[in-house]
Amino acid sequence: MDEEIKVVQQLKHHRIVEYYGNSRTDRVLSLFIPYMEMGSLAKFMKSKPDERLSECDTSMFTFQVLEGLDYLHKQSVIHRDIKGSNILMLDAKNIKISDFGVAKILNTLSRAHTREKGSRNWMAPEMFQEEADYNIKVDIWSTILELSEPILN
C-alpha cells in the first residue's frame, strides 16, 4: 500500500490519473482521484458486446496508453498491470492510466525480478519464468494484448 502511494505521489502527466490524497483504516486504503465519468475502458468495451472498437478508436487509445507508459518508464516506473479495468476514461476520447498497486519503481530502467505481479491474463511470458528478468517491455505486451483484442475478435 505504501509503495502505491509512493508511486502515485510523484506522477504528474495528462495520461496518468491524478492523486489527491488518501485515507487509511486498519484494513482499507482509499486513494482519492478525480471522477472519471465514463469509467474504465473495460466497462466501455463490455457495454458494446456486439460491436468492435473501430480501428480509429483502437489507434487513439493505444497511442494514449503508450504516451502514458512512455512517461512512466522515463520515471523508472513499471506499471505491471495494464488492462482495460486500469485504464479510466475521462470522456470518449481521453484515457488515463490508474491503479498502481503492483507498480515497481526501479533504480534504473534495467530489470525487475519479482514474479507474477499483475493480472495473469495480461502478463508477459517472461514474468512467469523462474530465472528470467523482465523490464518495461512487459507493459507494452499488456497494452498490445488488451487493445488488439477488440479488433481481432
Side-chain angles (χ1 to χ4, degrees):
M1 287 193 242
D2 291 328
E3 185 71 16
E4 182 173 10
I5 293 170
K6 181 180 174 185
V7 171
V8 297
Q9 282 179 324
Q10 73 179 22
L11 302 175
K12 306 281 186 248
H13 190 269
H14 67 282
R15 295 290 172 223
I16 307 297
V17 72
E18 295 88 358
Y19 168 76
Y20 296 144
N22 67 76
S23 175
R24 185 187 310 242
T25 66
D26 290 340
R27 294 188 290 189
V28 177
L29 171 65
S30 299
L31 299 181
F32 301 120
I33 63 172
Y35 177 68
M36 302 297 279
E37 186 172 332
M38 292 187 67
S40 71
L41 183 59
K43 178 183 168 190
F44 176 75
M45 293 185 330
K46 285 179 187 171
S47 73
K48 303 171 183 280
D50 297 329
E51 296 178 40
R52 293 180 177 175
L53 281 181
S54 70
E55 287 185 35
C56 182
D57 284 346
T58 300
S59 174
M60 175 185 62
F61 291 142
T62 301
F63 176 81
Q64 291 179 20
V65 171
L66 292 175
E67 190 177 21
L69 289 176
D70 180 58
Y71 168 78
L72 288 176
H73 297 160
K74 286 177 179 172
Q75 304 303 308
S76 299
V77 173
I78 301 178
H79 188 280
R80 301 195 297 182
D81 202 19
I82 295 293
K83 59 185 178 182
S85 60
N86 291 340
I87 300 170
L88 301 181
M89 299 181 69
L90 184 59
D91 55 47
K93 302 290 181 193
N94 292 292
I95 60 92
K96 294 183 182 239
I97 298 171
S98 69
D99 194 347
F100 292 86
V102 296
K104 179 163 182 63
I105 301 172
L106 300 177
N107 293 332
T108 66
L109 275 182
S110 57
R111 302 195 171 277
H113 304 283
T114 310
R115 297 285 144 236
E116 297 189 31
K117 290 288 186 177
S119 299
R120 294 180 66 82
N121 290 343
W122 288 268
M123 287 170 57
E126 58 267 32
M127 293 183 73
F128 291 101
Q129 297 171 359
E130 196 64 37
E131 297 299 318
D133 293 338
Y134 59 89
N135 60 24
I136 61 175
K137 294 175 185 175
V138 300
D139 286 341
I140 307 304
W141 169 275
S142 302
T143 301
I144 301 306
L145 191 64
E146 182 69 5
L147 291 169
S148 64
E149 189 271 334
I151 285 182
L152 298 175
N153 290 332

